[in-house]
């Protein structure tokens, strides 16, 4: 089967080493694409979680090998560490093997539009009220992921597709949308100060593409809840990919083809 080719791909918040990482979905996605430039936009390895409990399943290791394989095959890879892989930030400006480490970078699309690329933890001060509130948020998010995990275990047992309960709950938590709006505004202000066309970030696990005060804001999402990525085609068009929707559509197509074949027989 022919692979889908992208000029550029942005992935963030994979959280390898975390039990909620959807590594199998990501590996399936990566095995069916090729890309010229890959931006790993932070929180790729969840070093926070691994200090609490070391966990490194086979699929997580396969993803790291896949990144190395892509690099060897000519994909330019830029790693922009976030808060969960913070120790790597100290290597900004260096190259390890063929992988570039940068805290932030400017990407120019095939259309000539310029986008600031960064994880987004740089703006935590604009979103949270302090360390205590951030700690409360972290513990609350752990609870959301626990509920999400157990709920989807039940759905799998019922042979139902994955659905982000955590994402649904977050949207209905008082103040969550306000925090997302503050984060979006801070990201766009940074891009505007640099006289850029837009910004690509991650960090808050909320995929989105919108215009904020004349600046194109794109959050490429995560592989904990949403299984999303941002892709640029060879013409410079930017598209948010929701991989689980692609999986479900493939299932429907397969069923339709199977049904037509049965009728023809």
């Amino acid at each position: 089967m022919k692979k889908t080719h992208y000029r550029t791909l942005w992935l963030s918040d994979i959280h390898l080493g975390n039990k909620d990482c959807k590594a199998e979905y990501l590996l399936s996605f990566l095995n069916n694409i090729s890309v010229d430039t890959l931006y790993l936009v932070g929180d790729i390895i969840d070093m926070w979680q691994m200090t609490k409990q070391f966990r490194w399943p086979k699929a997580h290791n396969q993803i790291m090998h896949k990144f190395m394989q892509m690099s060897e095959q000519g994909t330019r890879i830029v790693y922009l560490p976030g808060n969960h892989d913070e120790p790597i930030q100290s290597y900004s400006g260096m190259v390890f093997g063929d992988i570039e480490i940068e805290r932030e970078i400017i990407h120019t699309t095939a259309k000539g539009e310029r986008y600031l690329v960064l994880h987004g933890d740089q703006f935590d001060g604009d979103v949270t009220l302090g360390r205590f509130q951030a700690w409360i948020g972290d513990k609350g998010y752990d609870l959301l992921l626990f509920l999400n995990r157990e709920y989807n275990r039940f759905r799998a047992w019922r042979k139902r597709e994955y659905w982000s309960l955590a994402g649904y709950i977050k949207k209905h938590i008082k103040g969550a949308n306000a925090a997302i709006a503050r984060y979006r505004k801070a990201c766009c202000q940074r891009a505007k100060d640099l006289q850029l066309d837009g910004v690509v970030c991650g960090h808050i696990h909320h995929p989105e593409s919108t215009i904020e005060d004349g600046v194109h804001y794109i959050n490429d999402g995560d592989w904990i809840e949403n299984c999303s990525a941002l892709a640029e085609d060879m013409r410079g068009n930017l598209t948010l990919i929701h991989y689980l929707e692609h999986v479900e559509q493939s299932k429907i197509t397969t069923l339709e083809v199977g049904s037509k074949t049965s009728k023809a027989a």
Side-chain angles (χ1 to χ4, degrees):
M1 185 172 67
K2 186 177 180 181
K3 293 185 176 181
T4 301
H5 183 76
Y6 299 112
R7 182 175 186 265
T8 316
L9 185 73
W10 290 261
L11 294 170
S12 77
D13 298 272
I14 299 172
H15 291 274
L16 295 171
N18 189 304
K19 59 187 173 184
D20 290 295
C21 169
K22 305 297 184 294
E24 292 81 5
Y25 285 129
L26 177 57
L27 193 59
S28 175
F29 173 58
L30 292 174
N31 284 334
N32 287 284
I33 66 167
S34 60
V35 58
D36 295 335
T37 300
L38 170 63
Y39 291 107
L40 299 174
V41 195
D43 287 3
I44 305 304
I45 302 173
D46 197 334
M47 295 180 178
W48 282 14
Q49 184 61 39
M50 291 173 70
T51 58
K52 301 174 186 176
Q53 180 182 12
F54 184 81
R55 185 179 184 278
W56 197 257
K58 182 179 179 181
H60 295 209
N61 205 45
Q62 289 175 323
I63 287 174
M64 294 301 293
H65 281 289
K66 182 63 179 179
F67 289 149
M68 289 186 282
Q69 181 187 59
M70 292 171 72
S71 178
E72 291 169 358
Q73 293 175 347
T75 297
R76 178 195 177 199
I77 298 183
V78 183
Y79 190 157
L80 300 102
N83 51 315
H84 282 257
D85 41 19
E86 184 178 5
I88 303 175
Q89 292 179 12
S90 60
Y91 299 103
S92 181
M94 301 177 68
V95 178
F96 287 87
D98 294 321
I99 298 178
E100 305 168 36
I101 310 294
E102 297 288 350
R103 187 66 170 122
E104 57 184 62
I105 197 169
I106 294 174
H107 172 78
T108 303
T109 70
K111 292 181 178 180
E113 297 170 330
R114 299 194 304 154
Y115 285 76
L116 175 65
V117 184
L118 76 176
H119 180 64
D121 58 301
Q122 293 92 330
F123 309 114
D124 279 356
D126 297 286
V127 179
T128 63
L129 300 177
R131 288 180 178 269
F132 179 72
Q133 285 82 357
W135 181 84
I136 291 293
D138 184 54
K139 295 301 179 183
Y141 188 59
D142 285 345
L143 175 60
L144 282 182
L145 292 181
F146 169 77
L147 295 173
N148 192 72
R149 188 164 58 250
E150 294 304 312
Y151 176 69
N152 278 288
R153 186 173 296 167
F154 173 74
R155 287 179 69 88
W157 176 69
R158 294 290 301 274
K159 301 187 184 304
R160 302 287 297 277
E161 73 281 0
Y162 173 87
W163 183 72
S164 179
L165 174 65
Y168 176 82
I169 293 174
K170 276 199 302 183
K171 289 178 182 177
H172 293 82
I173 292 177
K174 184 178 180 180
N177 289 329
I180 291 171
R182 290 198 299 271
Y183 175 79
R184 185 193 307 119
K185 182 176 181 180
C187 289
C188 290
Q189 186 59 53
R190 178 66 175 275
K192 193 169 186 177
D193 290 343
L194 294 172
Q195 298 182 326
L196 301 175
D197 298 293
V199 57
V200 179
C201 57
H203 190 42
I204 60 172
H205 299 198
H206 184 74
E208 183 181 16
S209 176
T210 188
I211 303 297
E212 172 91 13
D213 195 21
V215 176
H216 190 185
Y217 168 86
I218 309 176
N219 192 303
D220 60 18
D222 64 279
W223 290 82
I224 288 281
E225 302 169 43
N226 299 288
C227 296
S228 59
L230 174 68
E232 177 192 5
D233 65 20
M234 301 308 290
R235 295 182 178 180
N237 299 310
L238 299 175
T239 305
L240 272 175
I241 297 170
H242 294 269
Y243 185 65
L244 293 177
E245 293 179 4
H246 169 76
V247 170
E248 291 307 311
Q249 186 58 47
S250 297
K251 288 180 181 178
I252 292 171
T253 302
T254 301
L255 288 171
E256 289 177 346
V257 170
S259 177
K260 289 177 182 177
T261 303
S262 299
K263 290 179 181 178

